[in-house]
């Protein structure tokens, strides 16, 4: 039996609170405009392209969409997640396309 006064050293699975899921922002970006580090924190600026009509032409404006700040450990975890997501994407692209019949009955 464990002592309730003694903190546990075994880490269990991480549980994401359901109350925060719908409130988390969705951040879209087309690229990272710049990056660096300061006092041990990784800093990455995310940016997106805006298409702005100018008469009959279109001008592209770049706007910052997020200022990402994290620890080195969090940056490594993010990089691992991105690598795994890209591997999943690449694997899906290698699947043979299903033949679509030219005429349906």
């Amino acid at each position: 039996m464990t002592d309730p006064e003694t903190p546990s050293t075994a880490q269990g699975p991480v549980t994401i609170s359901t109350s925060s899921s719908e409130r988390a922002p969705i951040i879209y970006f087309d690229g990272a405009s710049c990056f660096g580090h300061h006092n041990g924190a990784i800093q990455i600026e995310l940016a997106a392209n805006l298409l702005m009509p100018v008469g009959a032409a279109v001008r592209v404006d770049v706007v910052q969409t997020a200022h990402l700040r994290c620890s080195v450990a969090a940056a490594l975890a993010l990089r691992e997640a991105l690598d795994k997501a890209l591997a999943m994407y690449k694997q899906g692209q290698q699947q043979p396309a299903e033949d679509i019949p030219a005429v349906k009955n």
Side-chain angles (χ1 to χ4, degrees):
M1 182 175 209
T2 61
D3 180 7
E5 299 295 319
T6 305
S8 173
T9 57
Q11 291 186 339
V14 175
T15 303
I16 305 294
S17 171
T18 57
S19 66
S20 68
S21 297
E22 65 273 359
R23 294 186 189 129
I26 295 173
I27 300 171
Y28 178 85
F29 64 100
D30 292 311
S33 61
C34 55
F35 56 88
H37 65 90
H38 182 67
N39 288 336
I42 302 299
Q43 301 177 324
I44 302 171
E45 309 305 324
L46 303 178
N49 299 331
L50 293 181
L51 302 179
M52 305 298 294
V54 179
V58 175
R59 180 183 80 230
V60 178
D61 284 349
V62 178
V63 296
Q64 298 295 99
T65 57
H67 309 284
L68 183 61
R69 302 293 184 267
C70 61
S71 67
V72 171
L76 291 169
L78 176 61
R79 180 171 65 184
E80 181 181 4
L82 288 169
D83 288 343
K84 288 179 178 179
L86 289 168
M88 289 172 66
Y89 172 77
K90 188 175 182 180
Q91 184 180 15
Q93 294 297 313
Q94 294 172 353
Q95 299 294 330
E98 184 179 323
D99 291 333
I100 300 173
V103 178
K104 293 185 179 184
N105 295 333

